Amino acid sequence: MTLAPGSTIGIVGGGQLGRMLAIAAAQLGYKSHIYAPDEAPPAAEVAASFTRGAFDDEAMLARFGAGVDVATYEFENIAAGPLAALSAQAPLFPPRRALEVAQDRLAEKQFVAGLGGRPAPFAPVSDLGELEGALADIGTPAILKTRRFGYDGKGQVRIADPSQAASAWASVRGAPAILEGFVRFEVEFSILLCRSLSGEMVLWDAPQNIHCNGILARSQVPAPSEIEGPIRDAEALARKVAKALDYAGLLTLEFFASGGAAVFNEMAPRVHNSGHWTIEGALTSQFENHIRAICGLPLGATALTAPRVVMDNLIGDDVLKWADILQDRAAHLHLYGKGEPRPGRKMGHVTRLG
Ligand code: AMP
């Protein structure tokens, strides 16, 4: 299948990821139709059309699907029913199965472990008794994470001592969860892979990722040379995951490099914040290759355009520095068109090549 330029790409989700996908789609002559619940989402500003609808509204999603030539998503928490209603109307990439696996931290870890990947020690937790049992097995420090709907460190609580079990359980409000052993890592990194409809795969240089309060602050390439071994192992695992899911589009896997091993953290069946640097830092960006993949076009080359690339997120009030950032004539500033700079809100990013 090759979708001719001029066709319409449906994008479920209206945030900055959808915005940058729509910009890449427009460059290739496609029209984007955004579906999101918000009144004026950042992606709709740069798209040909916008439907306002809830992520769980099956009838609306079906109608949206009927009006597009291919559908994709930038938002992971869409339930199985609405997703099926959409995919009955339009080809949907990445495939539903990828979303179903990645939506659930337990399913995701089991799936990746089944392919030979190594997650941190983990155990499912559905009540306080199970949490206490899991803490006895895994030890402390540990992290309790809700199985679903967590992102940017939300839905997570660190447990330093087993005596904190009850308060930790209360803070996830009884949601199905997993307990994870705390990984003492040297470096965090991610693998960005794109797979075409015909099974061709390209990967970018793996960025080192630096988080602050559970939110990505910086991604930079190249990653330190000491973690070359873990990166090679992680790349091999990512290829296996993509093949097993019969994947099409951009796939992200996040890892900890710990004691010479790649410890799997989580995956995202979508373009990812740790790949924003590819817009200027690689011959083809993650966004463009995702669009190419789902439209049946050949994938673009992913080589670096500079020996070193650094992407910094502008979180909350960081965005107020936009005028200063522009004083550096070589800085690439991206603003997402969001209104209020609330704490923890991703407002933009800046990429510097060197
Ligand atoms: P997540 O949403 O699971 O990616 O977690 C956000 C961030 O919290 C990660 O990128 C790490 O910096 C930290 N983190 C999450 N899980 C663990 C873990 N098991 N051990 C150590 N740090 C973790």
Side-chain angles (χ1 to χ4, degrees):
M1 181 201 85
T2 301
L3 216 56
S7 305
T8 298
I9 300 171
I11 301 173
V12 179
Q16 63 270 18
L17 301 178
R19 182 178 171 104
M20 289 183 270
L21 281 170
I23 291 170
Q27 187 187 324
L28 288 165
Y30 295 108
K31 294 179 170 41
S32 293
H33 185 162
I34 306 297
Y35 184 99
D38 322 74
E39 193 180 333
E45 274 181 11
V46 299
S49 36
F50 166 51
T51 293
R52 187 176 185 191
F55 291 130
D56 60 0
D57 188 333
E58 292 187 24
M60 279 286 267
L61 274 164
R63 213 176 317 144
F64 167 72
V68 302
D69 298 300
V70 66
T72 188
Y73 47 86
E74 59 102 80
F75 172 83
E76 270 151 87
N77 293 317
I78 315 162
L83 205 61
L86 172 61
S87 65
Q89 298 297 325
L92 177 73
F93 304 113
R96 267 166 62 193
R97 168 112 178 91
L99 194 66
E100 282 159 11
V101 169
Q103 273 176 349
D104 180 350
R105 287 188 189 272
L106 179 63
E108 170 181 86
K109 284 182 164 48
Q110 288 169 335
F111 179 79
V112 167
L115 293 172
R118 183 186 138 184
F122 67 95
V125 170
S126 55
D127 58 41
L128 180 57
E130 275 185 10
L131 175 57
E132 284 164 349
L135 280 167
D137 289 344
I138 289 173
T140 50
I143 306 187
L144 183 67
K145 300 182 178 180
T146 56
R147 282 173 59 175
R148 291 176 179 273
F149 306 126
Y151 66 96
D152 286 350
K154 294 189 175 70
Q156 298 193 8
V157 44
R158 293 193 183 196
I159 303 179
D161 184 273
S163 64
Q164 297 165 343
S167 65
W169 183 243
S171 75
V172 302
R173 297 191 191 87
I178 61 167
L179 185 73
E180 259 180 54
F182 193 83
V183 179
R184 286 181 183 80
F185 57 83
E186 290 89 51
V187 172
E188 285 190 82
F189 67 94
S190 53
I191 301 296
L192 304 158
L193 174 155
C194 191
R195 188 170 188 265
S196 72
L197 292 177
S198 59
E200 181 199 352
M201 291 191 226
V202 295
L203 287 88
W204 285 260
D205 284 55
Q208 174 182 0
N209 301 323
I210 298 160
H211 291 82
C212 196
N213 302 322
I215 304 180
L216 183 68
R218 167 175 284 193
S219 291
Q220 56 190 26
V221 291
S225 56
E226 305 85 76
I227 64 161
E228 251 166 50
I231 288 176
R232 293 293 93 81
D233 294 346
E235 287 172 342
L237 179 64
R239 287 178 186 275
K240 280 193 206 168
V241 169
K243 190 155 186 280
L245 291 170
D246 197 15
Y247 202 83
L250 200 294
L251 172 68
T252 308
L253 272 74
E254 293 183 73
F255 292 89
F256 305 110
S258 175
V263 178
F264 169 79
N265 178 22
E266 62 178 354
M267 61 188 254
R270 55 166 171 78
V271 289
H272 194 261
N273 194 171
S274 66
H276 290 0
W277 62 271
T278 61
I279 296 176
E280 293 89 7
L283 289 175
T284 312
S285 76
Q286 61 165 350
F287 302 101
E288 177 173 345
N289 262 347
H290 182 76
I291 297 295
R292 287 179 179 231
I294 67 172
C295 292
L297 306 182
L299 301 180
T302 55
L304 296 182
T305 58
R308 180 177 151 84
V309 188
V310 180
M311 187 281 320
D312 287 309
N313 269 339
L314 301 176
I315 296 168
D317 282 347
D318 292 346
V319 72
L320 304 176
K321 292 183 287 196
W322 63 269
D324 289 340
I325 292 167
L326 289 173
Q327 291 304 314
D328 173 359
R329 305 298 170 111
H332 295 276
L333 178 67
H334 296 252
L335 299 177
Y336 304 149
K338 296 182 179 178
E340 279 295 292
R342 289 194 297 269
R345 192 172 196 203
K346 290 175 177 170
M347 303 299 293
H349 71 265
V350 54
T351 300
R352 295 182 176 92
L353 310 184

